[in-house]
Amino acid sequence: METVSSLHLSRRRLIGAAMVLPFTASLVRAAESSLAFGELYGKFGVLGLEFSDKVKRLAGKGISMKGFMAPPLKAEAQFFVLTEVPMSLCPFCSSDADWPDNIVVVYLDEKQTFVQPRQTIEVRGTLEYGSWTDPDTGFVSLLRIRQAEYSAV
């Protein structure tokens, strides 16, 4: 009888583990898809800062990042700059040679009302890296989050 009882308990544990496993896997994926400013660059090489292996691995995938919205260049813009620290002016760059290491350009799916510069936000979208010039604005970026949406944290 003791053997049957221990088998029953083992079955319960197995079934319980099977039910929890999908949730555990999604938590691991969620942790991997979050990206922090300190994880953007791997090292400083002869050509300057080099993107981290994590950025390269997550390129083209859905990510989330927390930071601050720099004041937009235009009220009607469908993009903004996500910064590591609150800024009172937009760190607009004319070339990627001037690219600060603590900003990411965010391209929204649709226009939204912008938040105050000191409000922490979380952005979710698809990560891209590499030099790219926006044909509409001339804004040059090295890191972008596309098809993005954001919310206050």
Side-chain angles (χ1 to χ4, degrees), residues 98-131:
D98 302 330
W99 186 257
D101 64 354
N102 61 351
I103 69 171
V104 176
V105 178
V106 177
Y107 287 91
L108 303 169
D109 259 350
E110 54 188 52
K111 293 179 182 175
Q112 295 182 7
T113 305
F114 294 116
V115 298
Q116 295 298 316
R118 297 208 175 275
Q119 170 68 52
T120 304
I121 61 172
E122 181 174 28
V123 175
R124 294 185 178 281
T126 304
L127 181 67
E128 284 184 0
Y129 75 94
S131 184

Side-chain angles (χ1 to χ4, degrees), residues 59-138:
K61 297 181 180 164
I63 63 140
S64 67
M65 274 189 91
K66 290 182 182 174
F68 300 90
M69 182 184 293
L73 296 172
K74 300 187 294 185
E76 296 298 314
Q78 204 161 339
F79 76 95
F80 65 89
V81 175
L82 185 70
T83 63
E84 184 175 21
V85 295
M87 295 189 154
S88 57
L89 299 173
C90 182
F92 187 81
C93 304
S94 58
S95 79
D96 60 8
D98 302 330
W99 186 257
D101 64 354
N102 61 351
I103 69 171
V104 176
V105 178
V106 177
Y107 287 91
L108 303 169
D109 259 350
E110 54 188 52
K111 293 179 182 175
Q112 295 182 7
T113 305
F114 294 116
V115 298
Q116 295 298 316
R118 297 208 175 275
Q119 170 68 52
T120 304
I121 61 172
E122 181 174 28
V123 175
R124 294 185 178 281
T126 304
L127 181 67
E128 284 184 0
Y129 75 94
S131 184
W132 184 77
T133 304
D134 185 309
D136 297 330
T137 64

Side-chain angles (χ1 to χ4, degrees), residues 46-59:
V46 292
L47 299 176
L49 285 172
E50 295 180 14
F51 292 107
S52 69
D53 290 338
K54 186 171 184 179
V55 164
K56 293 173 185 175
R57 186 175 70 250
L58 292 176

